[in-house]
Amino acid sequence: MKKLKRSARLVDMTYFLLQHPHEIVSLTRFSERYQAAKSSISEDLVIIKEMFEDEGYGALLTIPGASGGVKYMPKMNKSEAETLVDQLVIDLNKQERILPGGYLYMMDLLGNPKLMHEVGRLFASVLHNKQIDAVMTVATKGIPLAYAVGQHLGVPVSIVRRDHRITEGSMVSINYASGSSDRIQTMTLARRSLAPGAKVFIVDDFMKAGGTLKGMVDLLEEFDADLVGIGVLVEAAEVNERLVDDYISLTKLTDVNVREKRIDVSEGNVFEKY
Amino acid sequence: MKKLKRSARLVDMTYFLLQHPHEIVSLTRFSERYQAAKSSISEDLVIIKEMFEDEGYGALLTIPGASGGVKYMPKMNKSEAETLVDQLVIDLNKQERILPGGYLYMMDLLGNPKLMHEVGRLFASVLHNKQIDAVMTVATKGIPLAYAVGQHLGVPVSIVRRDHRITEGSMVSINYASGSSDRIQTMTLARRSLAPGAKVFIVDDFMKAGGTLKGMVDLLEEFDADLVGIGVLVEAAEVNERLVDDYISLTKLTDVNVREKRIDVSEGNVFEKY
C-alpha cells in the first residue's frame, strides 16, 4: 500500500476495525500497512476512539504488552437502543400482523438484514463484558438474529434443528416439551458444530413458555458447554410457568385479540440492566 | 453533534456509509450533521472514494440533481475475491469433511458470520450493476449466505421452507422434483414475504442437479417476480442434466471418494465474468 495521509489512513482504519470486531489488532500491523510510526497510529486511534465513543458506535480498547494492540467492540448507546426498541414496538403493534390463531407475522422484520444487524449490535452491547464463544439458535426464524449477534461478537453460530433430514455427521439429539402444547419434540445439533466447553449465548425470535429455549439449554449440557445468557426479540408475557429464568427480551407481547384486531406489545426487560 | 475536524468527520462518514449500503445519502444530510459546508463534505467524500476504490472496498457513486447525493456500493476487487475463493477451495478439500454417503460437512463455513459476510460482499460485487429488490433462499443452510448478500445489497431476504409447521398467514406452495432423488417435494413461501414484481437473486449453499433452485425459480412465477440470477457456494460438477442454466458458483465439487477419503473441489465459474 502506498504511503497515506492521515485522512486516508483514518478511512482505512475505520473500515478495517468495523470488519474485525472483537479481534486484537496490533499497532505493528497498522504501522506496517501504512508505513507510519506507531506514534502516528496511536494518534489516529485516539481520533477513532473518541468518535466511536462519543457517538456510541462502540468501544476501542487498548491492550498493552507485547501481544497488545487495539480491539473494537461494537456497542449501541442507550438512546439509540431506546429508539430501536421504540420502533420495534411500533412495528409489532401493527394490526395487520395478526394471523389466525393469534400468531404474529414477523418475517418482514426478521427478513430485514439491516434491522437484524442493528438488533445484533444492541445485544452485543448488552453482552460487551461477557466472554462468549458461540451463539446458538434453532432453525428457522432465530437464524437471522443469531448471525447478527455472532457477527458483532466475532463468534460462530450453531444452528439446532427440529427436522431429521440432516447430513451433518454425528448428531446429538434431545427430547423437549414444547411449553405451549406439552408435546414431546426432538431437537438435534451436529456434534462438531459446537466446541466442548464453549460459552454460549442462545437467541430466538419468540419466547412463550420457553420450552424450546429450555431444550437448547439442556442440549448445551450434552456438549459440556456453558450458558452465558438468552436473548429474544419478543417474549409473550402471559405465561403460567416460565421454563427459563434469566433472559433478555427486547419487546413483550401482552395480548393479541384476534376478534378486535388488537395487539399489545411494549418494551421488554432489556433496559433493566442497560 | 458538535462541530468536528475533518479527521473525525471522515471516521463518522466512513462508519455511516458502511451501515447504509446502496442508499442514496444527500450531501445536505452530511452538511447538517457536521455543520460543514457542502464543499468540505465533497472534499471528504473524494478522500473516502479514493480509499475505497484503491483498496477495492467498494464504489462511491455521486448522484447529481436535487434528490442527489452519494451511494456506497460494497465491492470486492478481483485479487481479494481470488484469495477468498482460494481459501474456500483449500477449506473444502479437507478430508475430515467427508460424511457417510459422500456428503460434505460445511457448517463450520456456513456458521462463520465473518466468512459469510465476505462471501456476501463478493456476490454483491458480481451483482453491482443489476437492480435487485430481494434475495431468496431455502431453509436452512442457504440462510446465512442470503443474509450476507442481502445486507450488502441493502435488500430484504425471503426464506422458502420445506416444512409445514408455519404460522405466516397465507402461503404459496409448489411441488418440485428434487433432481438427485426424483422425489416430489413441496416448498412454501408466505404470500406477504415477497412483493409482486420484485427482481430476485436466489442463493443456496449447494447445487447438485438444481432441483431445489428450479423450484424456487418456479415459485417466483407465482409471485409475478423476476429472476435476476442464482448464486451458490458449491456446485457439484458431475451432473447428467442441470435443471438451471445460468448461475454463479464460487467453488465446484468434482468428486468425493469416501473410501479413499478424497475430495476434489476447485474454483467455480465466478471469475468467468468478474
Side-chain angles (χ1 to χ4, degrees):
Chain A
M1 178 180 259
K2 68 183 181 192
K3 207 160 156 63
L4 299 175
K5 289 187 185 166
R6 162 152 294 152
S7 53
R9 219 158 57 203
L10 285 167
V11 171
D12 195 69
M13 287 168 91
T14 302
Y15 183 91
F16 185 87
L17 290 167
L18 288 176
Q19 307 300 324
H20 298 83
H22 287 265
E23 257 179 48
I24 297 174
V25 187
S26 73
L27 290 195
T28 310
R29 186 202 173 278
F30 283 135
S31 169
E32 286 174 356
R33 178 168 172 85
Y34 306 122
Q35 302 161 56
K38 284 193 184 171
S39 57
S40 304
I41 300 295
S42 292
E43 287 166 26
D44 296 344
L45 290 169
V46 168
I47 296 170
I48 296 174
K49 182 183 170 73
E50 278 185 14
M51 194 70 230
F52 277 20
E53 295 183 358
D54 281 358
E55 289 303 306
Y57 301 153
L60 210 61
L61 294 191
T62 307
I63 289 104
S67 63
V70 290
K71 186 162 85 163
Y72 164 56
M73 301 170 75
K75 284 195 194 167
M76 183 177 272
N77 65 31
K78 196 171 178 185
S79 77
E80 207 181 348
E82 284 169 343
T83 304
L84 177 59
V85 170
D86 285 352
Q87 190 55 51
L88 283 173
V89 167
I90 290 169
D91 282 345
L92 285 167
N93 273 312
K94 289 181 180 157
Q95 66 174 37
E96 60 265 32
R97 295 195 179 281
I98 301 179
L99 297 173
Y103 290 98
L104 291 194
Y105 181 80
M106 302 211 300
M107 271 311 295
D108 57 327
L109 305 178
L110 300 173
N112 179 337
K114 186 197 271 180
L115 176 65
M116 287 300 105
H117 193 69
E118 287 298 278
V119 170
R121 185 157 68 95
L122 198 166
F123 275 114
S125 193
V126 176
L127 301 167
H128 75 276
N129 58 1
K130 309 256 189 198
Q131 200 212 310
I132 295 172
D133 305 314
V135 175
M136 176 188 269
T137 192
V138 64
T140 306
K141 292 189 201 163
I143 300 177
L145 194 51
Y147 272 81
V149 177
Q151 194 178 352
H152 282 102
L153 296 176
V155 301
V157 174
S158 299
I159 301 175
V160 175
R161 298 177 63 157
R162 282 184 269 226
D163 58 31
H164 292 272
R165 299 186 307 168
I166 301 175
T167 49
E168 291 176 16
S170 134
M171 311 289 297
V172 178
S173 289
I174 61 155
N175 294 322
Y176 69 102
S178 164
S180 31
S181 65
D182 266 339
R183 207 154 46 98
I184 296 296
Q185 302 190 50
T186 304
M187 58 168 68
T188 306
L189 183 64
R191 173 58 74 193
R192 59 170 113 172
S193 92
L194 184 64
K199 297 180 189 309
V200 180
F201 184 67
I202 295 179
V203 303
D204 208 354
D205 62 318
F206 192 83
M207 172 177 69
K208 208 165 176 181
T212 306
L213 289 162
K214 178 66 166 59
M216 285 192 270
V217 173
D218 291 347
L219 197 51
L220 288 184
E221 278 184 34
E222 300 296 322
F223 283 80
D224 290 321
D226 295 321
L227 178 69
V228 178
I230 294 171
V232 297
L233 197 65
V234 184
E235 65 162 308
E238 301 206 353
V239 168
N240 290 332
E241 195 190 0
R242 184 87 66 192
L243 297 170
V244 296
D245 312 315
D246 199 19
Y247 59 87
I248 304 160
S249 65
L250 300 197
T251 61
K252 185 190 284 190
L253 174 66
T254 311
D255 189 32
V256 183
N257 189 316
V258 178
R259 189 189 295 250
E260 297 173 16
K261 294 205 170 183
R262 198 167 30 74
I263 309 175
D264 186 355
V265 174
S266 55
E267 191 178 289
N269 67 17
V270 61
F271 294 114
E272 287 169 15
K273 300 166 195 168
Y274 210 89
Chain B
M1 178 181 258
K2 67 182 182 191
K3 208 161 155 63
L4 299 175
K5 288 188 185 165
R6 161 153 294 153
S7 53
R9 221 158 56 203
L10 285 167
V11 171
D12 195 69
M13 287 169 92
T14 302
Y15 183 92
F16 185 87
L17 290 167
L18 289 176
Q19 306 300 324
H20 299 83
H22 287 266
E23 257 179 48
I24 298 174
V25 186
S26 73
L27 290 195
T28 310
R29 186 203 174 278
F30 283 135
S31 170
E32 286 173 357
R33 178 169 172 85
Y34 306 122
Q35 302 160 56
K38 284 195 186 171
S39 57
S40 304
I41 299 296
S42 291
E43 287 166 27
D44 296 344
L45 289 169
V46 169
I47 296 170
I48 295 174
K49 181 183 169 74
E50 278 185 14
M51 194 70 231
F52 277 21
E53 294 182 358
D54 281 357
E55 289 303 305
Y57 301 152
L60 211 61
L61 294 191
T62 308
I63 289 105
S67 62
V70 290
K71 184 162 86 165
Y72 164 56
M73 300 171 76
K75 285 195 194 167
M76 182 176 272
N77 64 31
K78 196 171 179 184
S79 77
E80 208 182 346
E82 284 170 342
T83 304
L84 177 59
V85 170
D86 285 352
Q87 190 56 51
L88 283 173
V89 167
I90 290 169
D91 282 345
L92 285 167
N93 273 311
K94 288 180 180 157
Q95 66 174 37
E96 59 266 31
R97 297 196 176 279
I98 301 178
L99 297 172
Y103 290 97
L104 291 193
Y105 182 81
M106 303 211 299
M107 271 311 295
D108 57 326
L109 305 177
L110 300 173
N112 179 338
K114 187 197 270 179
L115 176 66
M116 288 299 105
H117 193 68
E118 288 299 277
V119 170
R121 185 157 66 96
L122 198 167
F123 275 115
S125 193
V126 176
L127 301 166
H128 74 275
N129 58 0
K130 309 257 190 197
Q131 200 212 311
I132 295 171
D133 305 314
V135 176
M136 176 188 269
T137 193
V138 64
T140 303
K141 291 189 201 163
I143 300 177
L145 194 52
Y147 272 80
V149 176
Q151 193 178 352
H152 282 101
L153 296 177
V155 301
V157 173
S158 299
I159 302 175
V160 176
R161 299 177 63 157
R162 282 184 268 225
D163 57 32
H164 292 272
R165 298 186 307 167
I166 301 176
T167 50
E168 291 176 16
S170 133
M171 310 289 300
V172 178
S173 289
I174 60 155
N175 294 322
Y176 69 103
S178 164
S180 30
S181 65
D182 266 340
R183 207 154 46 99
I184 297 295
Q185 302 190 52
T186 304
M187 59 168 68
T188 305
L189 183 63
R191 172 58 74 192
R192 60 171 112 173
S193 91
L194 185 64
K199 297 180 189 309
V200 180
F201 184 67
I202 295 179
V203 303
D204 207 354
D205 62 319
F206 192 83
M207 171 177 70
K208 209 165 175 179
T212 306
L213 289 163
K214 178 67 164 56
M216 284 192 272
V217 173
D218 291 346
L219 198 51
L220 288 185
E221 279 184 34
E222 300 296 322
F223 284 80
D224 289 321
D226 294 322
L227 178 69
V228 177
I230 294 172
V232 297
L233 197 65
V234 185
E235 64 162 308
E238 300 209 352
V239 168
N240 290 332
E241 195 188 0
R242 184 87 65 192
L243 297 170
V244 296
D245 310 315
D246 199 17
Y247 58 88
I248 304 160
S249 65
L250 300 196
T251 61
K252 185 189 285 191
L253 173 67
T254 312
D255 190 32
V256 183
N257 189 316
V258 178
R259 189 189 295 249
E260 296 174 17
K261 295 203 170 184
R262 198 167 30 74
I263 309 175
D264 186 354
V265 174
S266 56
E267 190 177 290
N269 67 18
V270 61
F271 295 114
E272 287 170 15
K273 300 166 195 169
Y274 209 90

